[in-house]
Amino acid sequence: MKFTMFHSIRGGLAFLGAALLIAASTGCELRRAMYDQPKLLPLQASDFFEDGMASRYLVDHTIARGHLEEDEHLFAGTVDGTMVETFPFPITTEVMKRGQERFQIFCAPCHDRSGSGNGMIVQRGFKQPTSYHDQRLVDMPVGYFYMVIKNGFGLMSGYAPQIPVEDRWAIVAYIRALQYSQRASLDDVPETMLAELEAESTP
Amino acid sequence: MTQIFHPSANTLARVSIVAGFFSIAGLLVLGDALQKSTYVTEVNMPREQVVPFSHKHHMAMGLDCRYCHTSVEEEAFAGIPPTRTCMNCHKLVWNEAPILQPVRDSWMNNKPLEWNRVHDLPQFAYFNHSAHVNAGVGCSTCHGRVDEMPLVHKQNTLYMSWCLDCHRAPENFVRPRDQVFNMAWEPPADQVEEGKKLLELHKVDTSNFRMLDCYKCHR
């Protein structure tokens, strides 16, 4: 007999079956290990740290590289502690469009698209903010709006974690445009845009 | 020598060859069907969460995806909002609802909410949200009508074959950049031509099968 290893065909088959099973299960095991590699993704849980989070807070009194906010005008909306009346960079049509888009994402839910303060969240029970067209706010310097976005105001949270610096200023520019839009007359519209405006207003 | 096998064994042998073939083929078909079944892919299966957050409800109020998923246009990871984002509104709205108790607990104790991941790509595949969004791939192309999902489920398998459907012919799927976050967007009748123009406009390089290079996703 040559095949002394297996005393019967049945024994051979059983061995083959077992071998296949082991191969298949280690295959799955390896595949799993590739699926979930020993690395951590953003916001993943981890039992390495006591608080169970993989993401870490900054160590106290440290600043991440590239996050030193030296430009007071740009980052704080003030110069020597006084609220600025000017923007830290030129406001182009592009910036204005960006501001409109960001305003509609982050502010319109409460302040509504016209800025009068009757957005959906307000209709659902949030405190109604003062309209941007209120004289007090029309007279406020742009630095004030920047500071409200960054730090919040009363019951409104600050939006610094959600909105990067340049976008905050773009939103301020758009708020200025909104305020202006409610007080402007047809004579203020540049002639080149008059036709466009009229086409939009006649249904 | 005596005969071991009865003549009927011939038939048995033939039958078992055929049956063996079919049973192996059957097993393969079954295995394939299992891989594609919702049991394995989890497509259309909503996941339980600590708070039954409804995208449908929040989007019906006009919230934009980016209000919460703030990094989707700039980073690989779209971002899961911190509890702070919930509290922007829920410190006043529904601020006593029992259903939101875990959110308030998270806020008071400075402990993040633990969400169950719905779209869990294998880690050997690299995926970047911003690259797709900026190329004109809409949210709903991959995620489906999230604005109609009370609890989020996967709309697609996220299998490699599914990725390749688009990487082979992105012109069938891309849309104008300003429509990326529009959940209700439908492709126009001339999608393929429009798509080709958009790919050029968005500077998507499809030459030399570049979108099919292995290292695009496996790096």
Side-chain angles (χ1 to χ4, degrees):
Chain A
M1 270 289 253
K2 263 184 188 164
F3 294 111
T4 44
M5 199 171 153
F6 307 118
H7 296 295
S8 65
I9 292 179
R10 207 179 284 165
L13 277 179
F15 176 80
L16 201 70
L20 271 175
L21 254 172
I22 290 168
S25 66
T26 49
C28 282
E29 203 64 32
L30 288 175
R31 201 169 111 165
R32 248 343 322 153
M34 286 293 282
Y35 263 68
D36 300 318
Q37 297 167 10
K39 67 177 177 189
L40 295 164
L41 299 179
L43 304 189
Q44 204 170 310
S46 156
D47 49 22
F48 188 78
F49 295 104
E50 242 174 49
D51 59 12
M53 301 192 289
S55 306
R56 310 310 305 153
Y57 290 110
L58 271 185
V59 177
D60 284 345
H61 312 298
T62 61
I63 293 171
R65 192 177 281 256
H67 286 256
L68 183 58
E69 304 189 344
E70 270 182 311
D71 186 340
E72 190 194 346
H73 191 166
L74 178 66
F75 289 105
T78 57
V79 166
D80 298 329
T82 321
M83 288 187 282
V84 290
E85 303 267 2
T86 56
F87 289 92
F89 51 82
I91 303 302
T92 59
T93 315
E94 215 133 272
V95 172
M96 196 57 98
K97 287 224 166 95
R98 175 84 181 172
Q100 177 180 38
E101 185 189 64
R102 299 292 126 171
F103 177 85
Q104 285 170 2
I105 295 171
F106 292 107
C107 318
C110 294
H111 290 273
D112 80 44
R113 293 201 166 196
S114 72
S116 65
N118 199 23
M120 265 296 208
I121 311 296
V122 172
Q123 291 171 36
R124 300 293 171 112
F126 209 83
K127 180 182 175 182
Q128 180 158 19
T130 314
S131 165
Y132 292 157
H133 313 299
D134 186 280
Q135 193 60 44
R136 177 175 66 84
L137 288 178
V138 171
D139 294 339
M140 281 294 184
V142 289
Y144 179 69
F145 292 92
Y146 176 85
M147 285 169 72
V148 172
I149 297 177
K150 186 181 177 196
N151 308 320
F153 173 85
L155 278 164
M156 175 185 147
S157 320
Y159 275 75
Q162 277 155 284
I163 311 176
V165 180
E166 282 81 9
D167 283 352
R168 295 176 212 159
W169 284 108
I171 290 174
V172 176
Y174 184 68
I175 292 179
R176 272 287 185 251
L178 274 181
Q179 291 178 325
Y180 195 52
S181 74
Q182 301 287 311
R183 305 168 164 247
S185 76
L186 214 52
D187 299 334
D188 296 325
V189 182
E191 239 164 78
T192 45
M193 301 188 84
L194 213 54
E196 201 182 311
L197 192 70
E198 268 163 10
E200 272 176 25
S201 60
T202 38
Chain B
M1 198 168 160
T2 53
Q3 229 172 342
I4 303 173
F5 294 114
H6 189 262
S8 69
N10 285 341
T11 322
L12 206 66
R14 280 192 206 104
V15 167
S16 58
I17 288 170
V18 176
F21 173 77
F22 275 109
S23 57
I24 288 172
L27 265 178
L28 288 177
V29 169
L30 204 74
D32 187 54
L34 187 72
Q35 276 294 304
K36 289 178 183 153
S37 71
T38 52
Y39 176 73
V40 172
T41 65
E42 294 178 353
V43 165
N44 290 331
M45 307 234 289
R47 286 205 93 163
E48 290 291 320
Q49 305 286 359
V50 267
V51 183
F53 177 84
S54 166
H55 276 82
K56 181 178 174 179
H57 169 78
H58 286 82
M59 295 184 73
M61 278 189 311
L63 281 186
D64 189 283
C65 314
R66 291 163 286 183
Y67 185 91
C68 302
H69 303 292
T70 49
S71 54
V72 70
E73 291 169 299
E74 279 87 31
E75 289 167 28
F77 184 49
I80 301 294
T83 305
R84 180 195 163 93
T85 305
C86 310
M87 294 307 281
N88 284 350
C89 298
H90 288 294
K91 61 179 154 197
L92 282 186
V93 183
W94 293 94
N95 62 358
E96 280 171 2
I99 207 173
L100 295 182
Q101 193 56 44
V103 181
R104 291 189 293 272
D105 289 345
S106 158
W107 180 244
M108 299 308 275
N109 304 327
N110 199 24
K111 284 214 80 138
L113 285 163
E114 290 179 33
W115 301 101
N116 290 317
R117 196 159 192 151
V118 178
H119 297 82
D120 195 9
L121 268 194
Q123 291 184 359
F124 49 75
Y126 173 79
F127 176 81
N128 188 314
H129 271 95
S130 71
H132 287 83
V133 165
N134 292 317
V137 181
C139 308
S140 62
T141 301
C142 304
H143 293 290
R145 292 296 300 267
V146 176
D147 61 326
E148 292 173 355
M149 299 180 193
L151 274 181
V152 168
H153 61 252
K154 256 199 310 191
Q155 187 74 25
N156 291 294
T157 58
L158 310 191
Y159 282 174
M160 179 165 143
S161 62
W162 171 82
C163 298
L164 288 180
D165 285 346
C166 185
H167 271 237
R168 283 199 186 97
E171 63 274 12
N172 293 340
F173 301 94
V174 289
R175 48 176 100 173
R177 280 218 183 107
D178 61 4
Q179 293 300 315
V180 165
F181 297 93
N182 176 4
M183 285 289 147
W185 184 83
E186 291 284 344
D190 57 347
Q191 169 63 31
V192 176
E193 282 148 53
E194 280 302 309
K196 283 188 176 142
K197 280 187 224 153
L198 287 170
L199 288 175
E200 206 147 298
L201 188 70
H202 300 163
K203 301 195 174 67
V204 179
D205 185 2
T206 54
S207 62
N208 297 322
F209 303 103
R210 219 153 262 170
M211 300 245 310
L212 297 174
D213 281 338
C214 306
Y215 72 81
K216 276 255 166 212
C217 316
H218 304 293
R219 35 170 105 182

